[in-house]
Amino acid sequence: MNDQLLTSSIKDILNFHPFIMDFFASIGLKELPRSLTLHDWLAGLTDEFLRDSGMDRKRILNHIEEIIQINAIPEKQHQVSSLTVIGGKDKYGNPENASITLKPGEVVCIVGPTGSGKSRLLADIECMAQKDTPTGRQILINGCVPEAQKRFSMNQKIVAQLSQNMNFVVDLTVKEFITMHAECRMISRKDETINDIIYMANELTGEKFSADVSITQLSGGQTRSLMIADTALLSASPIVLIDEIENAGVNRKKALELLVDKEKIVLVSTHDPLLALMGDRRIVIRNGAISNIIETSKQERMNLEYMEFLDCKMTELRDMLRNGGRIDTELNWCSG
């Protein structure tokens, strides 16, 4: 890319890659001679400037090139029109005679008893298995075997997984943590996106938290809420895997609506009947294999509304008790 980049004008580079302005600002340049080519601009840099910036001309050029390449990754990652799971075998070696294809904007829930293999299915999708895992499953992206770089590169991962146990090991504030991720992504509206993520995370969790609190002090629910908002609004990964979201005190409906609104393929492992019915389809796992694929029916959607009403009442009672209230009146939830 060097030759083409060197002959481009500063103006054209910034028009196509506006996020590079952040790099220029970081080395003390706010006003640039936009009519010059990058080659002429580099040639005109003084020894004093290079000494102060701590970089020579070659390092500056390589840095600009790397930023452009990194920012090209999200565009490539979002080019996922389908995810296909081709069955392998169950825990006893019997054929898994099932396959399923998912599209962006679709939510599929994975249900089954504890130990049936729900998490294993998520793991197969995360590593984009090619008959090289214990299940023998194969994962296709856009109907094709994914390139090796999509499977094994940390920079080009197209799958984001939110596991049951998420613990931070760095002592940063919420804002510092999200800012660090935003800067890695070189997004153009950084401050606005950071504020949106923190706001949405607080919409998803029962207990609000500030941008200045340390991420190590967040509860499990707050952590999951923060990562869901971060995944929806900042992550380039078009496929999102969530393992038992109901165990973290997260507003399940809002979380799924947020992810679907961002046109991501979402798979959720769950024991929660409400969450299971919120999906477009549900995969039933038994003995480590897909035993059935069920499309959510119209009647189930109607039943879900009533179940959500009951769940809302339970949430009200739970909050009442948490806040020191009493439940002394007779409960009557019949809707007539």
Side-chain angles (χ1 to χ4, degrees):
M1 188 200 301
N2 276 353
D3 290 342
Q4 182 180 355
L5 193 61
L6 284 169
T7 57
S8 300
S9 69
I10 298 289
K11 177 181 178 181
D12 287 342
I13 292 172
L14 291 177
N15 282 341
F16 284 103
H17 312 287
F19 40 80
I20 290 180
M21 194 64 218
D22 290 338
F23 165 66
F24 286 136
S26 72
I27 58 175
L29 293 167
K30 301 207 177 191
E31 294 295 330
L32 294 162
R34 300 193 175 216
S35 60
L36 291 182
T37 64
L38 183 60
H39 174 273
D40 292 341
W41 174 75
L42 285 170
L45 294 177
T46 65
D47 292 339
E48 181 182 4
F49 171 80
L50 294 172
R51 185 170 56 251
D52 290 344
S53 69
M55 292 188 286
D56 57 24
R57 292 175 179 83
K58 184 176 181 181
R59 282 191 65 190
I60 292 175
L61 176 60
N62 288 342
H63 213 79
I64 293 172
E65 191 172 29
E66 286 174 4
I67 292 172
I68 291 173
Q69 290 175 341
I70 289 172
N71 271 266
I73 290 171
E75 293 301 318
K76 294 177 183 177
Q77 286 179 333
H78 277 295
Q79 294 174 4
V80 173
S81 58
S82 69
L83 164 72
T84 300
V85 179
I86 299 176
K89 58 188 177 182
D90 68 11
K91 293 179 180 180
Y92 306 108
N94 300 312
E96 182 183 32
N97 297 317
S99 66
I100 182 172
T101 296
L102 292 76
K103 303 289 186 180
E106 185 175 11
V107 176
V108 172
C109 294
I110 305 169
V111 300
T114 298
S116 61
K118 298 187 298 297
S119 295
R120 179 68 259 177
L121 175 57
L122 292 180
D124 284 344
I125 295 170
E126 182 183 25
C127 73
M128 286 179 273
Q130 296 300 314
K131 302 181 182 180
D132 52 2
T133 66
T135 64
R137 291 189 182 111
Q138 185 177 30
I139 308 300
L140 304 180
I141 302 297
N142 300 338
C144 303
V145 174
E147 302 168 6
Q149 63 182 1
K150 281 190 170 64
R151 289 195 69 192
F152 305 116
S153 170
M154 293 303 294
N155 289 333
Q156 298 196 45
K157 286 182 73 67
I158 62 172
V159 179
Q161 179 162 18
L162 305 177
S163 62
Q164 294 184 50
N165 300 310
M166 302 188 70
N167 297 306
F168 293 111
V169 295
V170 291
D171 190 14
L172 298 172
T173 66
V174 168
K175 185 171 184 178
E176 288 170 340
F177 175 76
I178 298 299
T179 299
M180 183 171 64
H181 189 190
E183 289 176 346
C184 288
R185 289 289 173 196
M186 301 288 180
I187 61 171
S188 56
R189 296 181 299 110
K190 182 178 70 176
D191 292 339
E192 182 180 342
T193 302
I194 291 168
N195 291 334
D196 287 346
I197 290 171
I198 296 172
Y199 171 81
M200 184 52 65
N202 276 307
E203 288 290 295
L204 298 179
T205 187
E207 187 70 25
K208 310 297 183 187
F209 57 88
S210 73
D212 298 325
V213 69
S214 170
I215 55 175
T216 59
Q217 296 176 347
L218 298 179
S219 68
Q222 291 171 330
T223 299
R224 293 284 285 279
S225 296
L226 181 63
M227 295 314 299
I228 289 170
D230 177 274
T231 298
L233 301 178
L234 190 54
S235 174
S237 302
I239 302 169
V240 180
L241 313 177
I242 306 177
D243 202 356
E244 299 191 14
I245 191 175
E246 67 269 19
N247 292 341
V250 174
N251 187 313
R252 299 153 294 186
K253 187 172 184 178
K254 279 187 178 180
L256 292 185
E257 288 174 348
L258 176 63
L259 292 166
V260 169
D261 183 56
K262 298 304 175 181
E263 284 295 298
K264 295 180 183 288
I265 296 172
V266 183
L267 290 102
V268 185
S269 166
T270 184
H271 292 286
D272 181 0
L274 276 77
L275 196 51
L277 294 182
M278 287 179 191
D280 302 288
R281 289 179 284 175
R282 56 188 182 273
I283 298 173
V284 183
I285 303 291
R286 187 173 292 114
N287 295 326
I290 298 174
S291 66
N292 202 1
I293 299 170
I294 302 172
E295 186 171 347
T296 305
S297 68
K298 184 180 292 187
Q299 184 60 56
E300 285 180 322
R301 294 285 187 201
M302 293 171 62
N303 291 338
L304 176 60
E305 292 184 15
Y306 181 63
M307 293 164 66
E308 287 177 327
F309 166 75
L310 297 179
D311 185 61
C312 181
K313 289 296 182 182
M314 285 297 297
T315 299
E316 290 176 4
L317 294 174
R318 191 181 297 116
D319 289 342
M320 187 186 300
L321 291 173
R322 283 174 176 170
N323 293 318
R326 298 176 63 89
I327 305 175
D328 288 332
T329 58
E330 181 179 351
L331 299 177
N332 182 3
W333 291 354
C334 294
S335 59

